[in-house]
């Protein structure tokens, strides 16, 4: 059904495909959301293109420019006339292979505006708008045309004109540690330096919005900064200053603005995934997993990545960890530092990394055989240190090498402040970086390999199309503990970074009071992360003796919690302060609740309205003890059981810097 809410009848007619007889250089087209509350207006004002957005008659974005500036050519921004328009409505559902939501509804009204310059060289461009109940999106589509076969993008002129007195939460862009920064709350008028997206804003009208992009391919990633009193896109440049080199036809990524009444509602928007294409082929082979790792022992200084006396990746350690996997019921094991290239300063020497040569003390064949016999899969590790030329030379053979050893999961890493691509130093988030991540992903799909990418390109929903992109890091994870993380960090993530997709936060550290890497956390908070930070590859990141011997009671939750969910219902929270979410297990009747708080303790009341009517649920509650505290009493916890039903209220205490986890098992 076509649903249109256009005020102007002439324009209304045009939406059914009328051809204009005279060039039309002035027009307004409204595209209205299915529930009619959100409106995007495209404006053509004497040939100049712009748009604005309102919700319930309140302005969200004021008039904001559109357009693209090109090298050696006039910008695509004015002298336009509308040639024709096309509209349609879509209401469909699709089934995810994994994720926070099994069935996803994709419901929007679309308007494509076909533009042509009224002056020479009379270039043509389409802007396609989609308006969902939870946000708006648009992209520029530039067809192949006689006057233009390719484009060098000097700048993208897209603006997002929110009231500059609005409040925002973001991380800085163009920094050496990529996305790995603490979130900063500040007014929009102080965003004079570029920040990464998703950029979360509370507008002066009280709405919560997230500015981001979807389907980022073959283009620099969008950062945002204030320019002439408006937020404007700042596409990550290549080393020559250009933003992208593209052949035509070309479509930019979608520019997205999710709009919600409450910050929690942003967290359930699936608009970014919906703007991506369905999977390219059959991905029924992808499989979410949990995994142990020869990993945290390196962070606490017990073992090393490099060969030597304390080398972590030895045959002996691998056998021990495989035994632990079997004991703990965890079916995958990551081993880092297994290959040639970690000697000396691995960041400097990363160019020597060899992805098919194991170190002498690591018998890959024996280890893979032993793993196989014990029902354990290895997670391979490719630390590229950003030396893309070196990596791409080996990439396909390296994937083949892994598959020959029965390895289907790879954690990749791109440590370092820039990438070396074609001999040039480029931002990870530049067009060349984006192209590399995509090549690696598509090649992985060819070999049925699933990826967990650290130091990645940010999520733009492409895992809908490439479901073997299981998870990413792309924010400060637990490896920053030991000083650089405050409890508020995990309370910012759900409303910022996690809007772009799942994250490998490496949860489940139980040795939180370790003197060399002390965590700003209580024990049960570590369990909460398995629910509050979604990842389809979820690590149990600590050394396994802490699971098997020290806290087997707490480990039970890690064993039980799934790494994909049927549905997700946020229960309460505030940006930077707290987040509590309930998730139903994938094709299961059980529910899991996780909650985290910042430096303040909180007692929360949870209404269990999502449970099935009339059924009893046995709740296992893992919570902070009343005297727990992330600084001086980290280890205090309580495990209790209750029988609960729909309509019951569950009260749980979170200590300062703490958190809780609940498993609700439905009784038959
Ligand atoms: C940084 C990654 O985030 C971490 O997980 C990994 O262990 C190191 N790089 C080494 O590759």
């Amino acid at each position: 059904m076509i649903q249109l809410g256009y005020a102007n009848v002439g324009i209304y007619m045009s939406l059914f495909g009328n051809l204009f007889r005279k060039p039309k250089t002035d027009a307004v087209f409204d595209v209205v959301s299915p529930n009619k509350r959100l409106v995007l207006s495209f404006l053509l004002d004497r040939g100049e293109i712009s748009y604005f957005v309102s919700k319930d008659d309140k302005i969200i974005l004021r008039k904001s420019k559109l357009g693209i500036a090109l090298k050696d050519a006039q910008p695509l921004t004015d002298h336009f006339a509308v040639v024709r328009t096309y509209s349609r409505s879509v209401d469909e559902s699709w089934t995810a292979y994994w994720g926070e939501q099994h069935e996803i509804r994709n419901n929007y009204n679309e308007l494509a505006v076909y533009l042509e310059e009224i002056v020479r060289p009379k270039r043509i461009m389409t802007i396609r708008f989609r308006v969902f109940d939870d946000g708006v999106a648009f992209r520029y589509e530039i067809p192949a045309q006689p006057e233009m076969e390719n484009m060098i993008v000097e700048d993208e002129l897209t603006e997002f004109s929110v009231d500059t007195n609005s409040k925002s939460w973001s991380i800085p862009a163009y920094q050496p540690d990529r996305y790995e920064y603490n979130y900063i709350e500040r007014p929009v008028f102080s965003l004079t330096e570029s920040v990464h997206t998703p950029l979360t804003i509370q507008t002066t009208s009280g709405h919560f919005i997230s500015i981001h992009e979807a389907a980022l391919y073959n283009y620099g990633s969008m950062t945002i900064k204030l320019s002439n009193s408006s937020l404007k896109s700042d596409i990550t440049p290549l080393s020559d200053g250009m933003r992208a080199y593209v052949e035509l036809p070309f479509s930019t990524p979608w520019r997205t603005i999710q709009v919600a009444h409450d910050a929690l509602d942003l967290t359930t928007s699936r608009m970014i995934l919906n703007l991506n294409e369905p999977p390219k082929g059959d991905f029924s082979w992808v499989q979410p997993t949990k995994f142990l790792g020869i990993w945290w022992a390196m962070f606490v200084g017990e073992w090393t990545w490099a060969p030597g006396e304390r080398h972590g990746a030895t045959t002996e350690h691998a056998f021990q960890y495989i035994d632990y996997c079997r004991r703990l019921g965890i079916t995958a094991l990551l081993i880092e530092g297994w290959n040639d290239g970690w000697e000396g300063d691995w960041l400097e020497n990363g160019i020597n990394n060899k992805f098919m040569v194991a170190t002498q003390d690591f018998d890959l064949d024996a280890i893979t055989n032993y793993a196989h016999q014990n029902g354990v899969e290895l997670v391979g590790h490719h630390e590229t240190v950003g030396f893309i030329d070196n990596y791409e030379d080996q990439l396909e053979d390296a994937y083949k090498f892994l598959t020959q050893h029965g390895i289907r999961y790879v954690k990749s890493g791109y440590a370092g402040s820039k990438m070396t691509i074609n001999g040039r130093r480029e931002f990870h988030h530049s067009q060349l970086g984006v192209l590399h991540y995509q090549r690696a992903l598509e090649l992985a799909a060819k070999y049925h390999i699933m990826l967990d990418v650290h130091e990645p390109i940010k999520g733009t929903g492409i895992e809908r199309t490439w479901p073997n992109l299981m998870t990413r890091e792309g924010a400060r994870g637990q490896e920053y503990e030991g000083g650089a993380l405050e409890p508020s960090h995990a309370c910012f993530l759900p409303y910022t970074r996690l809007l772009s997709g799942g994250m490998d936060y490496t949860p489940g550290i139980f040795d939180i009071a370790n003197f060399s890497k002390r965590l700003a956390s209580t024990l049960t908070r570590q369990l909460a992360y398995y629910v509050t930070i979604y990842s389809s590859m979820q690590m149990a990141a600590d050394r396994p003796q802490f699971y098997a011997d020290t806290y087997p009671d707490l480990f039970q939750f890690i064993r039980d919690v799934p790494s994909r969910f049927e549905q997700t219902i946020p229960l309460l929270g505030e940006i930077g302060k707290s987040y509590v979410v309930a998730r139903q297990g994938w094709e299961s009747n059980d529910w899991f609740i996780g909650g985290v708080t910042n430096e303040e303790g909180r007692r929360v009341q949870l209404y269990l309205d999502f449970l099935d009517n009339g059924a009893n649920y046995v709740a296992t509650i893992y919570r902070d003890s009343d005297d727990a505290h992330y600084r001086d009493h980290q280890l205090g916890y309580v495990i209790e059981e209750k029988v609960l039903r729909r309509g019951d209220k569950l009260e749980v205490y979170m200590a300062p810097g703490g958190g809780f986890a609940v498993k609700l098992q439905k009784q038959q």
Side-chain angles (χ1 to χ4, degrees):
M1 193 183 76
I2 295 183
Q3 304 169 337
L4 300 168
Y6 306 97
N8 178 315
V9 175
I11 291 165
Y12 183 88
M13 292 301 293
S14 77
L15 294 169
F16 291 88
N18 273 4
L19 273 176
F20 288 100
R21 283 164 210 273
K22 273 195 276 166
K24 190 161 179 64
T25 55
D26 288 282
V28 185
F29 301 105
D30 288 347
V31 195
V32 181
S33 61
N35 68 4
K36 303 205 168 38
R37 296 180 60 188
L38 190 59
V39 184
L40 179 144
S41 306
F42 169 70
L43 185 67
L44 186 66
D45 183 5
R46 289 188 220 160
E48 202 175 273
I49 50 179
S50 61
Y51 74 106
F52 51 93
V53 177
S54 60
K55 184 168 183 188
D56 299 331
D57 296 326
K58 286 197 178 135
I59 294 290
I60 305 287
L61 296 189
R62 296 184 188 137
K63 184 178 166 190
S64 305
K65 283 189 188 151
L66 292 166
I68 300 175
L70 302 174
K71 183 159 189 274
D72 303 328
Q74 288 300 310
L76 290 164
T77 186
D78 50 13
H79 305 300
F80 278 119
V82 176
V83 180
R84 74 184 170 94
T85 59
Y86 165 79
S87 69
R88 63 174 183 148
S89 296
V90 169
D91 190 358
E92 62 186 15
S93 289
W94 55 278
T95 308
Y97 285 102
W98 48 260
E100 298 174 86
Q101 193 79 26
H102 197 161
E103 291 286 324
I104 295 181
R105 184 171 178 199
N106 185 20
N107 184 202
Y108 60 85
N109 290 326
E110 175 176 297
L111 171 72
V113 183
Y114 295 81
L115 300 162
E116 182 179 6
E117 287 176 316
I118 52 170
V119 294
R120 292 202 172 279
K122 293 209 163 209
R123 294 166 302 178
I124 54 175
M125 172 169 84
T126 303
I127 308 181
R128 190 173 302 275
F129 299 95
R130 287 187 184 167
V131 180
F132 303 73
D133 288 346
D134 51 346
V136 304
F138 57 88
R139 72 176 184 200
Y140 306 94
E141 300 175 356
I142 302 100
Q145 46 199 297
E147 300 302 332
M148 222 177 18
E149 284 172 357
N150 48 48
M151 280 182 352
I152 304 175
V153 178
E154 205 166 58
D155 194 11
E156 192 184 298
L157 307 171
T158 310
E159 290 180 344
F160 305 91
S161 286
V162 288
D163 182 338
T164 54
N165 286 315
S166 307
K167 210 193 267 184
S168 73
W169 294 266
S170 64
I171 47 168
Y174 306 127
Q175 301 299 311
D177 286 328
R178 307 154 307 269
Y179 301 120
E180 296 169 7
Y181 289 90
N182 289 326
Y183 282 84
I184 307 170
E185 176 183 312
R186 54 191 158 161
V188 166
F189 61 71
S190 60
L191 298 180
T192 48
E193 301 289 331
S194 291
V195 296
H196 282 297
T197 75
L199 163 61
T200 304
I201 293 173
Q202 183 181 16
T203 64
T204 43
S205 62
H207 293 94
F208 285 84
I209 68 172
S210 166
I211 301 176
H212 189 42
E213 59 185 317
L216 169 59
Y217 293 102
N218 191 18
Y219 202 74
S221 148
M222 182 173 75
T223 72
I224 305 269
K225 78 171 186 194
L226 199 73
S227 165
N228 297 325
S229 307
S230 176
L231 289 181
K232 177 187 160 294
S233 63
D234 172 22
I235 307 300
T236 305
L238 293 158
S239 52
D240 65 3
M242 295 299 111
R243 318 295 174 126
Y245 288 76
V246 295
E247 300 288 325
L248 302 184
F250 180 75
S251 298
T252 64
W254 292 95
R255 305 301 170 215
T256 62
I257 304 115
Q258 284 149 288
V259 184
H261 192 61
D262 186 294
L264 279 179
D265 291 339
L266 283 179
T267 67
T268 50
S269 168
R270 307 287 170 232
M271 189 180 96
I272 301 297
L273 287 171
N274 277 327
L275 287 162
N276 280 271
E277 297 292 317
K280 297 241 186 279
D282 172 31
F283 282 85
S284 52
W285 49 271
V286 300
Q287 222 180 326
T289 193
K290 278 175 254 173
F291 60 107
L292 290 182
I294 294 193
W295 188 73
W296 193 249
M298 278 82 108
F299 282 88
V300 292
E302 282 170 11
W303 291 349
T304 59
W305 279 274
E309 262 177 30
R310 288 184 295 119
H311 190 204
T314 64
T315 308
E316 190 193 338
H317 293 156
F319 274 54
Q320 279 167 12
Y321 269 55
I322 290 166
D323 290 343
Y324 272 119
C325 280
R326 205 196 45 227
R327 257 177 85 185
L328 293 166
I330 296 287
T331 52
L333 171 65
L334 164 75
I335 305 179
E336 295 200 3
W338 69 278
N339 65 313
D340 245 23
W342 292 90
E343 298 83 357
D345 181 341
W346 62 271
L347 281 169
E348 282 289 314
N349 301 337
I351 195 162
N352 301 322
N353 265 347
K354 297 194 181 59
F355 300 101
M356 286 160 288
V357 184
T359 55
Q360 286 196 339
D361 49 357
F362 191 80
D363 185 339
L364 183 59
D365 288 326
I367 293 164
T368 48
N369 284 338
Y370 191 64
H372 186 71
Q373 284 160 22
N374 285 282
V376 174
E377 295 202 52
L378 294 190
V379 178
H381 185 232
H382 286 173
E383 176 50 76
T384 70
V385 200
F387 288 101
I388 303 305
D389 296 335
N390 175 52
Y391 187 42
E392 288 205 359
D393 281 350
Q394 304 176 56
L395 186 55
E396 184 149 15
D397 289 338
Y399 282 158
K400 279 188 202 157
F401 177 82
L402 293 176
T403 50
Q404 281 153 11
H405 287 88
I407 298 175
R408 304 189 300 148
Y409 295 97
V410 175
K411 171 176 168 181
S412 54
Y414 295 87
S417 59
K418 291 231 175 138
M419 289 179 154
T420 307
I421 309 182
N422 302 337
R424 294 179 354 191
R425 300 287 288 160
E426 303 287 357
F427 285 114
H428 288 60
H429 320 115
S430 65
Q431 183 190 18
L432 284 172
V434 170
L435 281 168
H436 164 72
Y437 289 112
Q438 191 59 28
R439 264 197 300 275
L441 176 61
E442 291 186 21
L443 206 52
K446 179 175 161 192
Y447 289 97
H448 287 199
I449 285 175
M450 293 162 269
L451 295 183
D452 168 2
V453 186
H454 279 226
E455 300 80 38
I457 185 68
K458 70 185 177 189
T460 57
I462 63 168
E463 55 272 33
R464 178 179 177 196
T465 315
W466 302 98
N468 63 317
L469 178 47
M470 305 300 283
T471 191
R472 310 174 176 83
E473 188 188 37
R476 279 196 175 183
Q478 290 225 105
E479 61 196 47
Y480 275 83
E481 288 286 11
L485 286 188
E486 289 296 326
S488 58
H489 183 63
C491 302
F492 283 114
L493 290 174
Y495 311 97
T496 52
R497 156 67 182 81
L498 299 182
L499 302 180
S500 69
M503 175 178 181
D504 182 6
Y505 192 62
T506 58
I509 304 294
F510 286 173
D511 185 18
I512 51 180
N514 188 298
F515 67 93
S516 61
K517 194 90 172 158
R518 191 184 165 122
L519 274 65
S521 172
T522 60
L523 265 176
T524 52
R525 179 185 178 92
Q526 290 296 313
L527 303 182
Y529 290 150
Y530 289 87
V531 193
T532 63
I533 302 181
Y534 178 70
S535 182
S536 76
M537 281 178 71
Q538 200 61 284
M539 190 170 191
D542 209 340
R543 292 142 296 160
Q545 56 274 27
F546 285 89
Y547 301 140
D549 308 329
T550 322
Y551 298 110
D553 51 348
L554 291 177
F555 184 74
Q556 187 59 43
F557 184 80
I558 300 182
R559 194 200 293 256
D560 291 344
V561 67
S563 22
R564 58 180 167 175
F565 295 97
E566 196 62 29
Q567 55 171 321
T568 290
I569 302 177
L571 300 182
L572 53 91
E574 253 185 279
I575 303 180
K577 294 188 174 160
S578 64
Y579 178 60
V580 181
V581 63
R583 304 195 199 256
Q584 183 184 8
W586 187 265
E587 294 175 349
S588 139
N589 290 317
D590 298 343
W591 283 82
F592 298 81
I593 307 177
V596 286
T597 180
N598 61 359
E599 297 72 16
E600 280 172 42
R602 261 167 241 279
R603 200 169 285 283
V604 291
Q605 321 260 339
L606 308 176
Y607 294 90
L608 307 177
D609 303 337
F610 47 86
L611 298 180
D612 286 348
N613 246 334
N616 285 337
Y617 290 79
V618 175
T620 313
I621 303 159
Y622 304 78
R623 66 162 176 90
D624 296 317
S625 62
D626 292 345
D627 55 356
H629 194 293
Y630 77 100
R631 281 214 195 91
D632 48 27
H633 189 196
Q634 296 179 276
L635 307 182
Y637 71 91
V638 175
I639 302 178
E640 43 194 22
E641 265 196 13
K642 285 186 179 160
V643 176
L644 294 168
R645 296 163 68 85
R646 182 189 174 114
D648 282 349
K649 195 174 72 181
L650 174 64
E651 191 175 291
V652 194
Y653 174 65
M654 295 191 273
F660 70 93
V662 180
K663 178 186 177 194
L664 289 149
Q665 188 166 16
K666 188 175 173 185
Q667 298 306 287
Q668 296 314 320

